[in-house]
């Protein structure tokens, strides 16, 4: 079970919020956003998004519970999209880390972020239809994606993975002080889902991240995936 995703029988995906709801028999809301934990702990200004399914009933209370001067909350009635953004951005951050490790600059990373965001949106549309496009412009969407691709642990680990030649497990132990990068296992689950659905070629960035993490593709080949992305053909 990962942040946002867990594998369900027959190769499907099940959201963590759905797992909790099934076990506890309660309605579950989701908080995600561009808020790296150390900065939140230092009371630096940041934003976050709460996704719920009953905004009219629960939105005001949820905002009152979490909203502060330096932790600004926006509530949207789109819990699935908020949760999936929080999981899938880690996969894109791995791709950003690979390009950093290869020595590419901000232009390449911008392409990773843009194409990765497109794949995030498409993934949500394919497997959890009914999302609101505006949600991807909330803190949980593009803002969290940018933050993670520049400052998150997944980017950091994947950059070191490329530069050091060590395994992901070795790099995690050296850099994360007991934490783990969520991107590689999430990429595996996403890959398995897309493979079973016959859609893996529609998500070249997601697919490349898994194959690189699994040792089945060289990191340098990621740039070929960017060059030949369906958007460019």
């Amino acid at each position: 079970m990962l942040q946002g995703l867990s594998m369900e029988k027959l190769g499907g995906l099940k959201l963590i919020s759905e797992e909790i709801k099934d076990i506890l028999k309660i309605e579950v809301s989701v908080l995600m956003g561009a808020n790296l934990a150390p900065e939140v702990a230092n009371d630096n200004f940041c934003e976050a998004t709460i996704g719920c399914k009953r905004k009219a009933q629960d939105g005001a209370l949820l905002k009152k519970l979490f909203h502060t001067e330096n932790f600004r909350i926006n509530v949207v009635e789109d819990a699935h999209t908020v949760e999936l953004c929080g999981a899938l951005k880690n996969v894109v951050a791995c791709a950003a880390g690979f390009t950093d490790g290869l020595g590419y600059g901000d232009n390449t990373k911008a392409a990773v972020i843009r194409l990765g965001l497109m794949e995030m949106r498409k993934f949500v549309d394919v497997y959890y239809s009914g999302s609101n496009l505006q949600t991807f412009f909330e803190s949980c969407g593009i803002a969290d994606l940018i933050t993670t691709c520049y400052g998150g642990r997944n980017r950091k680990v994947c950059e070191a993975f490329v530069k050091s030649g060590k395994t992901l497990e070795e790099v995690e132990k050296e850099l994360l002080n007991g934490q783990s990068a969520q991107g590689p296992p999430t990429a595996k689950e996403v890959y398995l889902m897309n493979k079973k659905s016959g859609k893996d070629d529609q998500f070249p960035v997601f697919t490349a991240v898994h194959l690189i993490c699994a040792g089945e593709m060289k990191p340098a080949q990621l740039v070929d995936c960017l060059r030949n992305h369906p958007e460019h053909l």
Side-chain angles (χ1 to χ4, degrees):
M1 186 177 294
L2 307 174
Q3 177 186 331
L5 302 177
S6 67
M7 289 304 296
E8 196 179 25
K9 62 181 180 180
L10 302 180
L13 286 174
K14 191 172 186 180
L15 298 176
I16 297 300
S17 62
E18 294 172 337
E19 295 271 14
I20 295 171
K21 181 178 180 180
D22 289 347
I23 294 169
L24 299 181
K25 311 302 180 186
I26 59 173
E27 202 59 58
V28 179
S29 297
V30 182
L31 188 152
M32 297 283 182
N35 36 69
L36 298 175
E39 297 184 22
V40 176
N42 288 334
D43 202 29
N44 294 350
F45 178 83
C46 63
E47 300 177 315
T49 310
I50 293 179
C52 65
K53 296 182 179 179
R54 305 180 306 186
K55 184 177 179 180
Q57 298 98 311
D58 303 329
L61 176 59
L62 290 169
K63 184 163 185 173
K64 184 176 181 180
L65 288 170
F66 292 96
H67 191 78
T68 71
E69 183 179 10
N70 285 329
F71 193 72
R72 311 303 284 180
I73 295 293
N74 193 31
V75 181
V76 299
E77 197 168 64
D78 194 2
H80 284 161
T81 304
V82 172
E83 190 168 1
L84 283 163
C85 282
L88 296 173
K89 55 92 190 243
N90 292 320
V91 180
V92 183
C94 288
F98 293 144
T99 61
D100 283 345
L102 291 166
Y104 288 94
D106 287 338
N107 291 348
T108 306
K109 187 180 287 189
V112 167
I113 292 172
R114 189 185 75 82
L115 295 171
L117 180 62
M118 289 179 59
E119 292 191 19
M120 287 168 60
R121 184 188 172 197
K122 185 170 186 177
F123 188 91
V124 174
D125 286 343
V126 169
Y127 297 110
Y128 279 91
S129 60
S131 66
N132 185 345
L133 176 62
Q134 183 62 35
T135 304
F136 292 94
F137 296 94
E138 296 286 343
S139 181
C140 66
I142 184 63
D144 196 11
L145 180 60
I146 292 171
T147 299
T148 307
C149 286
Y150 277 92
R153 75 183 75 159
N154 293 281
R155 188 218 62 81
K156 181 179 181 181
V157 163
C158 288
E159 178 185 20
F161 168 72
V162 173
K163 288 183 173 180
S164 69
K166 298 178 181 178
T167 67
L168 282 169
E169 292 77 12
E170 290 173 327
V171 173
E172 283 185 352
K173 289 179 181 179
E174 292 178 5
L175 298 181
L176 298 186
N177 298 317
Q179 293 181 312
S180 61
Q182 310 100 316
T186 302
K188 180 179 180 180
E189 294 187 354
V190 168
Y191 174 79
L192 292 174
M193 179 68 178
N194 288 330
K195 194 72 174 176
K196 282 185 174 291
S197 303
K199 295 181 172 65
D200 50 306
D201 60 339
Q202 297 180 29
F203 298 91
V205 175
F206 289 173
T207 298
V209 169
H210 166 66
L211 294 178
I212 292 169
C213 291
E216 299 176 27
M217 178 186 287
K218 294 181 179 179
Q221 292 178 271
L222 171 65
V223 180
D224 291 331
C225 295
L226 302 179
R227 291 190 184 103
N228 300 314
H229 198 279
E231 160 126 346
H232 297 149
L233 301 178

